[in-house]
Amino acid sequence: VVKPVHVLLFFMSAVLALYFFRYEHPYLLADNRHYTFYIWRKILNRTSYTMYYLLPVCFYTFLNIVALLSTVHSKFFTLLYFLCVASQIVPQGLLEFRYFILPYLLYRLHVPQHSWVVLFLELCQYTVINLVTVKIFLNKTFDWEITDSLTPNPQRFMW
C-alpha cells in the first residue's frame, strides 16, 4: 500500500529535479539519425510541461517494478537494484537506449517468469521494433552536407 505522503514526496522531488537539473545534451538535439532525437523532439520536448505530464507514468512504472521485484527479493535487494540503475543512468548526458539494456536484463532475470504467452508477445514486440528499424536503415537515406567533401555523403537512420 502506497501512502499519500510518499506519493507527494515522489512528485515534489521529481518536479524539482526536472526543473533544476534537466540537461539537454547538444548531440541529442542535433543528430537526427537516432530514435532518441525524434523521441526528444516530438514527445518529451513537445512543450515545456510534457515531462511533468509524464511523471504519473514514471511513478506507476516505478511502483510496478518495485512490486514485482519485492515478490521475489528483499527490500534491500530492491533498493540496491535501484541504486545501481541510478548510478548507471543518471550520470549519462545522453538519452540512449543502450544505457537501459543492462538494467532491463537484470530486471527480467530477477522478476517472476511470466507465462509463455506473455514472453512470446514480448518477443514479437521486440522483433517488430527491430524489423522496422532494419527496414528504415536499409531504405531511408538522407544527405548531410560535408564541408571537406564535394561528393554527397548519404547517411542512414540508426538506433
Side-chain angles (χ1 to χ4, degrees):
V1 177
V2 180
K3 297 178 182 177
V5 68
H6 292 146
V7 174
L8 184 64
L9 284 174
F10 172 84
F11 281 103
M12 285 175 49
S13 60
V15 166
L16 290 173
L18 279 176
Y19 185 77
F20 288 110
F21 302 111
R22 188 169 116 179
Y23 173 68
E24 297 174 354
H25 196 282
Y27 292 139
L28 179 65
L29 304 173
D31 195 352
N32 65 342
R33 297 174 297 166
H34 299 276
Y35 278 136
T36 52
F37 171 83
Y38 295 99
I39 290 171
W40 185 264
R41 194 180 74 172
K42 302 275 188 181
I43 299 171
L44 297 178
N45 206 26
R46 187 176 196 101
T47 69
S48 58
Y49 297 107
T50 305
M51 289 220 191
Y52 300 105
Y53 297 148
L54 293 174
L55 284 177
V57 175
C58 295
F59 186 67
Y60 177 75
T61 304
F62 174 76
L63 288 179
N64 280 327
I65 292 172
V66 168
L68 282 171
L69 285 175
S70 297
T71 58
V72 178
H73 299 288
S74 66
K75 289 181 181 180
F76 178 72
F77 177 87
T78 305
L79 176 66
L80 192 60
Y81 172 80
F82 280 106
L83 288 175
C84 290
V85 169
S87 69
Q88 179 182 350
I89 293 175
V90 170
Q92 304 302 329
L94 282 170
L95 171 67
E96 290 285 339
F97 290 114
R98 63 184 168 185
Y99 301 139
F100 297 90
I101 292 173
L102 187 59
Y104 177 74
L105 288 176
L106 290 173
Y107 166 76
R108 291 298 289 142
L109 287 171
H110 289 286
V111 296
Q113 184 173 356
H114 296 287
S115 70
W116 289 106
V117 173
V118 173
L119 292 175
F120 179 73
L121 291 174
E122 187 176 330
L123 174 68
C124 290
Q125 173 188 346
Y126 289 118
T127 303
V128 166
I129 290 171
N130 284 317
L131 287 174
V132 168
T133 301
V134 169
K135 182 177 175 12
I136 291 172
F137 177 80
L138 293 175
N139 297 327
K140 183 174 172 68
T141 61
F142 52 92
D143 292 327
W144 273 2
E145 293 183 21
I146 307 295
T147 56
D148 60 347
S149 173
L150 298 175
T151 61
N153 189 5
Q155 299 292 312
R156 295 189 179 275
F157 187 81
M158 64 183 112
W159 269 111

